[in-house]
Amino acid sequence: MNLEKFLSFDDIQKSLENRETDCKAIVNYYLENIQTKAHLNAFVEVYTDSALEQASLVDEKISSGKAGKLAGMVIGIKDVLVYTDHESNASSKILKGFNSQFTASAVQRLIDEDAIVIGRLNCDEFGMGSSNENSAHGKVLNAADESRVPGGSSGGSAVAVQANLCTVSLGTDTGGSVRQPAAFTGLVGIKPTYSRVSRWGLIAYASSFDTIGVFSRNVQDNALVMEVMAGPDNFDSTVSRKAVPHYSELLHFNKRAKVAYLTETIESPALQEEIKANTISVLDKLKEEGHTVEEVHFPLLKYILPTYYILTTAEASSNLSRFDGVKYGYRTPNAHNLESMYKKTRSEGFGDEVKRRIMLGTFVLSASYYDAYFTKAQKVRRLIKEFTEDLLTKFDYIIMPTTPTTAFKFGEHSNDPVAMYLEDLFTVQASVSGVPSISIPNGKDKKGLPIGLQVMANSFKEAELYAFAKYLTELNVNE
């Protein structure tokens, strides 16, 4: 069986129903692909034995008519999501050798519906980065152009689906770490409403921003995974108890939408001309189709990145204080007393970008600067959240580019952290506000590099967001 011809999980399921293939053959196909494309460095570890064992069990369930709704789906998980009796180290030296004693709730729910986990995926260390150059396991290559970054921090998760190494993958999105790589690799990537998906088993970066998202080739597969993964969880007190709609069954879009676009994003001097043109083409097509499209000014855009980085680095400084070499992970062999053990373990175990963010966060939380930076950033976050939510009560959706540029070359921003942070310019609004946002493919630039279009909706409106995203992909504006 040639899986290359299958464009969706639905195709795979039909093939299973018609007995044209089985789960074991599907897993072996992906394992061969992973081996052939190992140079992309998407996978940190491949679970060959356990994946084949899972596949055999699912095949038995299919034969007996007891299989779950994800039978035949092969998933990869970002290396910040824990999985029982498997290593998880957040692509950091400091967690080398750490084996989890439990499975993340989001992952377990997929397994319970008979998804097969094939391995863990490379990422920026602790989810901190926009290029996947900050991993202890080395950089991930973009399959569209191997001289360019795949985006970050979930670069491995994006490339795994892009290069057909698994059916879908899980990533995490703190300020754009699913949507930006999705844009760079031509995929569908969603950041759900904050609290929609349990964070139990997610190694924390910034707890009030972190969300678990999905990479897929199409909207349907993405919606199906999200409906299984989302919902209440007794292990996470911050997760919403709102009922989860059947997103995959609510993808029909048949209404006139009210759409806003932000002047400051379309007119941004940082925006690549081809991305601007493709975004405007979509807006023009929506007008032709009878939808209301209006320009809105967003005067707070220039404050979004400073607000985001002040708050996330502060939370990271606190969250990462637990990694000290005492209980688990890496411990320096060069210590001569307790204090030197702490210092050397953290200095040797963390990478440069993580150390930079810990120091920034510690600075803004210090007694002398707490009110000047952290408190003020919390107030600005509230203003941004209120503006965004108010806008989404007047409009159904906000449309903007996912990224200011297409995938950049390795090393292009490595010596300029501020330039790297600017890659998150258009994605952090949804993260600061906590609303759901999805990136969908929107054509390519002159070099053949994928362009992403981002759509935001109000909190817990994932069903409407998925339906509109599918509608937009079917318009084929920039194919």
Side-chain angles (χ1 to χ4, degrees):
M1 182 198 64
N2 179 16
L3 274 176
E4 298 284 355
K5 70 180 180 180
F6 293 121
L7 300 176
S8 70
F9 175 57
D10 185 56
D11 293 330
I12 292 174
Q13 283 196 311
K14 286 176 182 174
S15 184
L16 288 168
E17 288 170 11
N18 295 333
R19 299 183 183 276
E20 296 169 1
T21 188
D22 59 25
C23 292
K24 200 166 183 179
I26 293 169
V27 169
N28 276 319
Y29 165 79
Y30 285 125
L31 289 172
E32 289 173 16
N33 244 7
I34 290 167
Q35 189 172 10
T36 303
K37 300 175 183 178
H39 67 285
L40 296 174
N41 201 29
F43 280 86
V44 171
E45 185 180 3
V46 181
Y47 306 147
T48 303
D49 293 339
S50 63
L52 288 169
E53 187 179 325
Q54 271 185 287
S56 296
L57 292 172
V58 176
D59 281 331
E60 289 176 14
K61 286 187 175 183
I62 291 172
S63 298
S64 62
K66 297 177 181 177
K69 65 171 73 175
L70 300 183
M73 179 177 283
V74 179
I75 64 169
I77 58 175
K78 185 177 178 178
D79 189 25
V80 292
L81 293 163
V82 300
Y83 185 29
T84 307
D85 297 328
H86 290 77
E87 189 171 343
S88 302
N89 54 37
S91 293
S92 177
K93 180 180 176 181
I94 206 159
L95 273 175
K96 185 178 181 181
F98 171 71
N99 283 281
S100 179
Q101 296 175 310
F102 67 98
T103 298
S105 292
V107 176
Q108 188 60 55
R109 287 178 178 177
L110 302 184
I111 293 170
D112 290 344
E113 288 292 341
D114 292 327
I116 298 164
V117 181
I118 200 167
R120 61 186 172 109
L121 297 159
N122 205 344
C123 62
D124 282 303
E125 186 180 4
F126 285 99
M128 299 183 192
S130 302
S131 64
N132 222 132
E133 294 174 284
N134 299 328
S135 170
H137 304 295
K139 64 189 180 185
V140 178
L141 309 185
N142 190 327
D145 180 344
E146 293 179 11
S147 69
R148 295 178 183 272
V149 304
S153 61
S154 308
S157 299
V159 171
V161 178
Q162 176 196 32
N164 206 19
L165 311 182
C166 56
T167 318
V168 301
S169 67
L170 299 188
T172 60
D173 193 310
T174 305
S177 290
V178 167
R179 291 161 289 154
Q180 187 241 28
F184 280 6
T185 55
L187 299 174
V188 176
I190 192 167
K191 180 204 88 70
T193 305
Y194 179 78
S195 82
R196 179 73 289 186
V197 178
S198 170
R199 290 183 293 112
W200 175 252
L202 164 60
I203 299 171
Y205 160 21
S207 302
S208 73
F209 291 83
D210 291 343
T211 57
I212 298 172
V214 184
F215 289 94
S216 64
R217 291 175 176 272
N218 56 61
V219 174
Q220 298 95 310
D221 292 354
N222 207 293
L224 178 61
V225 173
M226 184 57 66
E227 78 179 49
V228 172
M229 200 167 63
D233 179 19
N234 291 333
F235 293 114
D236 182 357
S237 62
T238 66
V239 74
S240 171
R241 306 200 72 81
K242 286 179 181 285
V244 179
H246 293 287
Y247 301 131
S248 62
E249 299 173 12
L250 299 170
L251 294 174
H252 183 61
F253 187 83
N254 61 353
K255 71 170 190 175
R256 292 286 177 260
K258 290 190 68 177
V259 177
Y261 69 93
L262 306 181
T263 312
E264 288 77 8
T265 60
I266 296 295
E267 300 301 329
S268 171
L271 186 62
Q272 189 174 315
E273 199 57 42
E274 293 140 303
I275 298 177
K276 178 178 179 177
N278 282 21
T279 306
I280 290 172
S281 294
V282 172
L283 295 171
D284 288 344
K285 181 65 174 177
L286 286 171
K287 289 177 186 175
E288 285 178 26
E289 294 292 317
H291 303 285
T292 301
V293 178
E294 292 184 19
E295 180 180 9
V296 176
H297 288 281
F298 183 40
L300 297 172
L301 182 68
K302 63 183 178 180
Y303 301 112
I304 284 185
L305 274 177
T307 299
Y308 169 78
Y309 277 102
I310 286 170
L311 296 177
T312 56
T313 56
E315 292 186 26
S317 171
S318 175
N319 279 328
L320 271 60
S321 64
R322 73 193 71 177
F323 304 115
D324 54 15
V326 176
K327 297 182 181 70
Y328 41 73
Y330 173 77
R331 179 184 293 179
T332 181
N334 306 312
H336 56 271
N337 60 28
L338 183 63
E339 184 177 350
S340 69
M341 189 270 286
Y342 285 143
K343 289 180 177 179
K344 288 181 180 290
T345 293
R346 288 170 66 80
S347 296
E348 296 167 10
F350 288 132
D352 289 343
E353 181 59 30
V354 173
K355 285 189 273 195
R356 180 183 292 116
R357 297 195 193 196
I358 289 172
M359 288 190 289
L360 276 170
T362 304
F363 174 77
V364 301
L365 288 174
S366 62
S368 302
Y369 296 100
Y370 186 91
D371 288 334
Y373 291 102
F374 186 77
T375 302
K376 190 174 290 185
Q378 290 281 37
K379 292 176 180 177
V380 177
R381 182 182 192 180
R382 170 57 62 183
L383 292 175
I384 294 166
K385 180 177 172 65
E386 288 175 350
F387 178 92
T388 303
E389 289 178 342
D390 180 62
L391 192 58
L392 286 167
T393 59
K394 299 172 183 173
F395 294 89
D396 300 310
Y397 309 101
I398 300 172
I399 285 181
M400 65 177 73
T402 308
T403 58
T405 68
T406 50
F408 49 90
K409 286 188 175 290
F410 285 108
E412 195 171 317
H413 298 326
S414 297
N415 297 318
D416 188 351
V418 175
M420 187 71 81
Y421 296 167
L422 283 169
E423 289 297 324
D424 298 332
L425 182 61
F426 301 143
T427 52
V428 293
Q429 181 180 355
S431 300
V432 170
S433 305
V435 300
S437 177
I438 194 168
S439 179
I440 57 174
N442 189 28
K444 296 180 179 180
D445 69 5
K446 292 173 184 175
K447 296 174 183 174
L449 298 172
I451 291 171
L453 181 76
Q454 184 180 193
V455 187
M456 285 190 280
N458 218 337
S459 295
F460 302 103
K461 295 287 186 181
E462 280 84 358
E464 292 86 346
L465 184 61
Y466 275 128
F468 188 57
K470 184 172 182 287
Y471 170 75
L472 288 172
T473 60
E474 289 169 350
L475 286 178
N476 297 321
V477 179
N478 292 301
E479 287 297 308

